[in-house]
DNA sequence: TTGCTCCTCACGTCACGTGAGGTGGC
DNA sequence: TTGCTCCTCACGTCACGTGAGGTGGC
């Protein structure tokens, strides 16, 4: 018969753990002194302790281990199997998660080695909701004309909305329909969210200089928040595309540019002095 | 300017998280109403929130993220690099750990499928300490003679110790020196721990029917606790060897059989009525 | 007045490690 | 008497989720 210190050395666990297991009912000492509270263990309890340690090593919570040890004669194969299957699924999920984290950490380390400093923006993945937008679309011949094209497309859009007596919401969303990053013939769409119309928005818009449609949501999108002038946004776009490529994601729709700090130009055509822009790229969920 | 609910929707985080980050100083609202306590955020704080989320996704603790965000102008490449390197090492360790757990869980599931019920003993890995033992060694021609051989070897050992006036400790340890599991010519050594002797144990033992030596420790050993008669221990030994093989470990010394419940036979030669035995197999640390 | 949003505590999570403060046996 | 071991609380861990109980603006 052993005192707690001896038994803890035999079992290679701390005395605190033995007290803890006592408290949880996992491993009651074979005898406890009623006056001093001293716990006394016997050798044959080592087998039970070993079992607890072995199951704990698999990552099972103590409560489940307690359930298993309840049955006096050996473990119930059925219950154990159930717990192992759950733990297996959990482990597979955790493994994928850590692998992704490790990939990301390593990518960032490489990026710092190469550039000498971290990126001035962060890329995260998130879900984006579906919404109804009114929009106009056109092709700008060159990058240099983009700014003017966008400005006039938005002006045209707002003018049309006003004429049709339609209210709109924030933020403006510019969509880039080209499959890849290009510097000429940019297929661009400017959009603003509108309240979904139960009466049938489409019919009332016959002949309008814009269309209404649902901009689909996406459970998975890469997003980046950019602060600075629109003219200098190209590196951010490339960083986002690079991130997506590095993670072997595939785009699932046009790049979206959300003007979070308000319209890119006010009604007098003056540019937003301090733009905050969110770039979103919807992605296909990855199947392995 | 947004209230906490709007801002939380924009950033895809809970309001509770925003309050938490406020409390930790990670992301203070740009303005807080002095009377109602209402928190007000601005769009340009979204970039900071994004950064927090992105770093959190890597598994960095909020406290470290706070350190990084302290520096007003962008992240310090040096500090970030340091944290990423630490996190990388941590992740590699966690990954190895989960992989081991998954392997073990799957092995147990297979075992249940095949046998219909779990093993009646658990195998764990642990460190075993070095100790000084007195021992005698011999070869038993067949398995059938093992029991008698061991009994007489222990009797010879205890007799010799008594004659030399040496005290000994628990537990008896039987060592099996054969490289593999065999059924004839069993090279067996029976040992008991003795106090290490600073005066030079060896010299006083000239002519003794036993030797004293250090039984080396091992940082890694597979161990199993067996309860039952010695004669039925074979399946436990095979299970232990199977475990070691399944994990691609290599043995690093003879199998040890510790008689935890006391000597296998008392002085009248009667066997221990309820033996508790720990089997230990020292292992080579695995290098990949 | 009724919902909605916001607020501030404060508990619970999981398996212990780590004191604090005190007692029993050699 | 001095160490050693044991005891029982109780706090701290990490990043929030989840009430409880209450207030301000449409």
């Amino acid at each position: 018969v052993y005192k707690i210190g001896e038994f803890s050395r035999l079992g290679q666990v701390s005395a605190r753990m033995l007290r803890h297991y006592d408290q949880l009912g996992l491993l009651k000492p074979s005898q406890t002194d009623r006056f001093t509270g001293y716990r006394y263990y016997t050798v044959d309890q080592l087998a039970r302790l070993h079992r607890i340690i072995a199951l704990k090593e698999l990552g099972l919570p103590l409560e489940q281990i307690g359930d298993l040890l309840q049955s006096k004669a050996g473990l119930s194969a059925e219950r154990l199997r159930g717990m192992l299957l759950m733990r297996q699924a959990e482990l597979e999920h955790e493994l994928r998660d850590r692998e992704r984290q490790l990939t990301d950490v390593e990518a960032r380390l490489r990026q710092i080695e190469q550039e000498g400093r971290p990126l001035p923006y962060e890329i995260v993945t998130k879900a984006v909701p579906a919404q109804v937008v009114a929009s106009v679309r056109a092709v700008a011949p060159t990058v240099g004309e983009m700014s003017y094209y966008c400005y006039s497309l938005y002006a045209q859009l707002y003018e049309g909305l006003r004429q049709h007596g339609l209210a709109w919401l924030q933020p403006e969303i510019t969509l880039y329909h080209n499959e890849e990053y290009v510097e000429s013939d940019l297929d661009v769409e400017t959009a603003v969210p509108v309240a979904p119309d139960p009466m049938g928005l489409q019919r009332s818009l016959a002949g309008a200089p814009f269309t209404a449609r649902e901009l689909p949501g996406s459970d998975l999108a890469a997003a980046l928040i950019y602060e600075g002038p629109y003219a200098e946004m190209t590196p951010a776009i490339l960083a986002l595309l690079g991130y997506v490529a590095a993670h072997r994601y595939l785009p699932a729709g046009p790049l979206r540019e959300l003007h979070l700090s308000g319209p890119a130009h006010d009604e007098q055509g003056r540019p937003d002095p301090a733009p905050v822009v969110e770039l979103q790229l919807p992605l296909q969920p990855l199947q392995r």
Side-chain angles (χ1 to χ4, degrees), chain A:
Chain A
V1 63
Y2 304 99
K3 286 197 285 183
I4 198 169
E6 304 160 323
F7 194 68
S8 80
R9 256 161 281 149
L10 265 180
Q12 310 252 44
V13 296
S14 68
R16 175 65 166 100
M17 287 169 72
L18 290 176
R19 291 193 197 101
H20 192 215
Y21 297 159
D22 180 7
Q23 204 178 329
L24 298 186
L26 281 182
L27 181 66
K28 292 281 184 195
S30 73
Q31 192 194 331
T32 304
D33 188 297
R34 268 200 301 152
F35 301 111
T36 66
Y38 274 39
R39 296 171 175 80
Y40 295 97
Y41 296 85
T42 55
V43 266
D44 56 287
Q45 298 197 278
L46 259 185
R48 191 176 174 99
L49 178 57
H50 243 205
R51 176 145 287 170
I52 293 169
I53 294 169
L55 294 172
K56 198 161 68 73
E57 290 271 288
L58 302 178
L60 295 179
L62 293 187
E63 198 182 333
Q64 282 185 26
I65 297 177
D67 288 354
L68 284 176
L69 294 185
Q70 285 300 42
S71 51
K72 36 249 129 172
L75 302 183
S76 152
E78 225 15 80
R79 298 169 66 80
L80 178 57
R81 207 178 87 94
M83 291 183 189
L84 291 177
L85 284 172
M86 286 187 57
R87 180 62 184 151
Q88 183 184 32
E90 195 176 285
L91 275 170
E92 283 165 357
H93 184 256
E94 288 180 18
L95 270 173
R96 269 198 290 278
D97 204 52
R98 309 292 148 130
E99 277 163 9
R100 182 194 52 72
Q101 290 191 358
L102 186 56
T103 308
D104 282 9
V105 166
E106 286 170 346
R108 269 166 185 276
L109 280 170
R110 272 198 307 278
Q111 196 273 326
I112 292 177
E113 307 284 331
Q114 282 168 21
E115 312 276 330
R117 60 195 165 75
L119 288 175
Y121 23 72
E122 302 292 341
I123 297 166
V124 301
T125 58
K126 54 155 93 172
V128 298
Q131 51 188 331
V132 176
V133 296
S135 72
V136 293
R137 183 167 170 177
V139 175
T142 69
V143 165
E145 286 158 292
M146 265 297 287
S147 173
Y148 173 72
Y149 258 76
C150 285
Y151 168 59
S152 61
L153 286 174
Y154 275 117
Q156 188 183 328
L157 178 59
Y158 288 125
E159 180 58 24
L161 286 166
R162 264 191 292 268
Q163 282 179 7
H164 283 72
L166 281 174
W168 65 88
L169 306 168
Q170 298 269 8
E172 291 179 355
I173 306 174
T174 305
L175 294 102
Y176 296 90
H177 285 279
N178 304 76
E179 289 283 316
E180 298 180 356
Y181 177 77
V182 293
E183 304 211 324
S184 61
D185 296 321
L186 292 98
D187 184 359
V188 72
E189 178 178 7
T190 63
V192 290
V194 295
D197 180 9
M199 301 300 288
L201 194 58
Q202 301 290 345
R203 269 174 297 144
S204 68
L205 295 182
F210 60 89
T211 58
R213 67 178 184 107
E214 191 189 76
L215 192 60
S218 173
D219 288 342
L220 182 64
L224 166 164
I225 295 208
Y226 167 82
E227 289 180 287
Y230 283 99
E232 296 168 23
M233 210 168 59
T234 304
I237 294 178
L238 294 176
L240 190 62
L241 296 176
Y243 174 89
V244 167
H247 286 259
R248 296 163 187 255
Y249 286 127
L250 289 177
L255 179 68
R256 302 173 188 187
E257 177 188 298
L258 283 66
H259 300 175
L260 296 179
S261 53
H265 298 269
D266 66 11
E267 304 194 3
Q268 283 72 47
R270 286 184 299 246
D272 183 350
V276 177
V277 172
E278 177 165 351
L279 297 174
Q280 295 179 344
L281 187 58
L283 302 173
Q284 293 177 24
L286 31 59
Q287 57 263 4
R288 348 189 113 214

